[in-house]
Amino acid sequence: MSNCQNSINGILKNYSYNGCNTAPLFIVYSESITNRLNYTLRFVFNQILLTGYLITNDEKVFVESELIKINYSNKSFSNTITIFPSGLLSESGVKEFVPTCTTSNNKVLLFTNTKSDLGFDLFSAVFYLISRMEEWQKFVKDEHGRFEVRNSILYKLSVLKQPLVDCWINDFRKIVIEKFPEIKLSSRSFQYISTIDVDNAFAFKGKSLFRNLGGGVKDLLAGNVKMALARIGTLISGKKDPFDAYDIQIDLSDKYLVPLIYFFLYRTGTEFDRTLDPKNFQFNKLINGIKNKGIAFGLHPSYYSSEDGQLLLHEKKLLETNSGSIVEASRQHYLRFNIKTTPKQLLNAGIKYDFTMGFANSTGFRAGTSMPFYYYDFEEEKELEIMAVPFAAMDGAYYIYDNTNVKEALDEMISVANQVKQVNGLMITVFHERTFAKELYPGWSNIYTKLHQSLGAS
């Protein structure tokens, strides 16, 4: 088995909120103790600062405590860090509003308040972004029914490509250490994870004569002579299928100690779902070969599954049956995702990790963070037991939406990764099987290699 590969549970074990020292070092005073506040503090303290916390609304307990004190109220206490609450974490439901915003020390702040030691309500700002409240608010959907990047407050403020939440908490860490120099806070190490969405396992291999003839005609009509020749080479001369770069990807994963996760689309026959039939021998041979090499994989739920929980469950069970493995992770095909319903459907189907949190047409951090977090349900005002694992960059954002050249795409991905390194965060990229076909996207296979060389552990 590969040195860096494991189950998805194994890959993400350090981000579980429980894989760290959670002994309480902080005590937070708040007059209002709510699920929203606890949800936010769990992320800030357990996930990012790798420490523990207590919450109290008892002034006497707070004053007499020997823990590091965070005052989240309008009251005044000595020897504390004070954050004045905006009121968002004491409310319920979703209202239509846009947070106040300022720029301080070249950094954008939401829920600003000059009375706070940080200059803003850190906890409300974090909650607003990781709860995805803006996706629960009204917005104009794109042609696939998605929350598009232009709706994002971070995009409008030109900070989408910064892990802003991680930066805020990193600044908070510095203030804590400055005020309480005796404290020793642990920190994570930067990690890079490669993920590949397999929308169409092979370009030609395993497909019927009818599909190959039709595809060949389309290639010629589109003037794509290279793909037409590659089709002939694969089917007649036995050359390797243009999409079959799986061994190369696995070798890079091993060499540079970069965890690798595949997400397989497991439905075909619709306008948007065009992979091999799930019963296809070559398809399942590929999946089981990847499994036998110790490589993690999950489901790429089909286009319409975001609207149909039974379809999602059917695809998951079929993949589990044919692979002999429990499937606990997924990323929605086309990133079709409804924040109000999809997380609960995934949870009901037994999915623990959702890798959909990102944008198809832009690099950046949809929730403002590079770090995994749990979804929040505003209907029941509680944290859900399904973790969102955000990605920062997708190949198609460059060659489909922006027509960016190879060098500029690589430079931007490295630039974003360097920002993630500064906060000891998690950099996740999304590539597709077709990206490795030189006949379609020349130079992109080299980008993938160079990312491993630049961001890998060895």
Side-chain angles (χ1 to χ4, degrees), residues 24-49:
L25 282 179
F26 292 85
I27 185 168
V28 178
Y29 174 80
S30 175
E31 294 174 287
S32 178
I33 300 177
T34 65
N35 285 347
R36 292 186 179 192
L37 177 59
N38 195 51
Y39 168 79
T40 306
L41 297 183
R42 262 173 45 80
F43 178 77
V44 172
F45 291 106
N46 293 164
Q47 180 68 308
I48 307 296
L49 296 180

Side-chain angles (χ1 to χ4, degrees), residues 12 34 69 93 157 194 236 265 269 365 372 393 396 417 426:
L12 295 176
T34 65
K69 299 183 179 70
L157 295 170
S194 168
I236 297 177
L265 179 64
F365 301 94
L426 176 61

